[in-house]
Each structure stands twice: as C-alpha cells, then as structure tokens.
C-alpha cells in the first residue's frame, strides 16, 4: 500500500519568514495530493491540493510543488502569520485498479506542527 | 453552515459498553469516511462507504462496525470499547472517489473510555 512520509515533524518560523514542509510517497500510481491544516481541537481543512498533471500550484501565500519522478511534494507558506500556526498534514490518494474505483482512499503523512513566532 | 455534522461532540462511555457515533451530511456526497485520530497523530482511516459499498481497512479491528442506512447518515459502532479506543473520531465526505474530490471533515467526536 501507499506510504507517505512527512518532514519535519515540528517547525518553528519567525513571523514573516517562509515555511516549507516536505512529503514523499511510495505509490507511483498516486495522482492526487491534498494538504490539510488542523488547528488545535478543530477539524482538518483542505488548504491546497495538486494533481499529477501539474507541477506547481499557488493560492495567495500558499504554494505546492510536485515532483512525480522523485515522488515528493512540498508545501510552501510565505510571509507567515501567527494564524498559520497549526498542524499540517499531507496526503496522497491511493487508487485501486479494476472496476471498484470507489474504494480509493487518502493516506496521510504523520503531520508537521508549525509554530509561528511573533 | 455545517455540512458534515457529527454528534455528539464529546462522548464518554465505560469500558466494554457499546457506543454509537453518528455523522450526517447535507452535501449529498456519495462517499463517507470514518477516521480515528489519536493525539498528535494523523487521521487513520477505519472504513468508508462509496454509496452503499462498504470498504473496510485490513487493520481495522472487528470491534468497529459501521452502518449507512441512507445517503445522509453514517454510524460508527464500537461494540466493546477499550481504553485504547479513546480518540477523536472524524467523519468525512467526498462527492466522488478520493482521487477526484476533496474530503470535507466534520468537527469530530471525542470519545473517552472510563
């Protein structure tokens, strides 16, 4: 099955600086890579995602890059703000061959606790 | 407006006493997922329904069962909760399969086992 590794597990960044979180995956058939942000005691929320036919995607201060050859993807947050402090999870879709495509699932990375230092 | 609703937000049960957690959705999504999340860990998929088709993860204990009586509702039944089952349980939905559509999470039910 798919295995997603995420680094670092904790990251502290001065407010205004950039933060980068990296993930690697094992299943070359994976084709969808979302990033979720989870604040303390709250639900995971999608912040950005990327598909395998795209190398980079940006949304304001957030960007994601994907290297399919190397099987890694990264989250970049620029001009960090205190409200960016949270746990971030990467994930990869694990597709299933055959007719039962309905049993696809996401495999999550282990999470990165990002702390923005004012 | 909440689109994936989980009840209750907090649930306390006794060791070995069956408990049911509920999830409802207003999105009319085909897929509903149940995740277990322990402190400082990633959500761990227990099982999911694609419409009426049930997909169980190989490492999900038999102690965990699920029901989906209709499109809107999905239940997680823990037949004999142990202390190790104390966790946050997250329900999520997606319109279509995982590689095609994003998952929307509910606020979760935090289960305590005494």
């Amino acid at each position: 099955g798919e295995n997603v590794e995420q680094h670092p597990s904790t990251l502290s960044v001065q407010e205004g600086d950039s933060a980068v979180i990296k993930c690697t995956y094992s299943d070359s058939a994976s084709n969808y890579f979302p990033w979720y942000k989870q604040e303390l005691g709250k639900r995971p929320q999608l912040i950005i995602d990327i598909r395998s036919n795209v190398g980079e995607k940006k949304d304001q201060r957030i960007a994601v890059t994907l290297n399919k050859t190397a099987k890694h993807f990264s989250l970049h947050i620029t001009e960090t703000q205190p409200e960016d402090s949270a746990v971030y999870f990467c994930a990869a879709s694990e597709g299933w061959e055959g007719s039962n495509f309905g049993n696809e699932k996401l495999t999550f990375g282990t999470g990165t606790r990002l702390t923005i230092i004012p | 407006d909440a689109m994936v609703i989980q009840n209750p937000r907090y649930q306390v049960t006794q060791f070995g006493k069956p408990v049911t957690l509920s999830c409802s959705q207003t999105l009319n999504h085909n897929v509903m997922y149940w995740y277990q999340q322990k402190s400082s860990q990633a959500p761990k998929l227990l099982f999911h329904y694609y419409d009426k088709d049930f997909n169980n993860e190989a490492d999900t204990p038999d102690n965990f069962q699920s029901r989906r009586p209709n499109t809107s509702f999905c239940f997680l039944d823990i037949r004999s909760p142990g202390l190790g089952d104390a966790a946050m349980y997250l329900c999520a939905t997606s319109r279509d399969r995982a590689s095609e559509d994003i998952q929307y999470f509910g606020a979760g039910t935090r289960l305590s086992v005494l």
Side-chain angles (χ1 to χ4, degrees), chain B residues 10-80:
Chain B
Y10 302 91
Q11 176 74 56
V12 181
T13 191
Q14 291 180 330
F15 183 93
K17 185 176 180 180
V19 65
T20 295
L21 309 182
S22 74
C23 177
S24 64
Q25 53 135 336
T26 61
L27 299 163
N28 203 33
H29 282 175
N30 285 325
V31 195
M32 295 187 78
Y33 307 82
W34 278 106
Y35 290 90
Q36 179 193 66
Q37 187 177 31
K38 297 190 175 180
S39 181
S40 302
Q41 296 183 19
K44 179 182 181 297
L45 184 65
L46 297 173
F47 26 58
H48 71 282
Y49 278 92
Y50 186 95
D51 196 11
K52 297 179 181 178
D53 293 332
F54 179 69
N55 298 276
N56 195 37
E57 292 302 295
D59 58 354
T60 297
D62 293 340
N63 197 27
F64 291 84
Q65 303 287 320
S66 185
R67 297 170 282 135
R68 189 178 186 186
N70 53 53
T71 299
S72 301
F73 285 87
C74 195
F75 300 98
L76 170 62
D77 300 309
I78 309 176
R79 294 193 294 190
S80 181

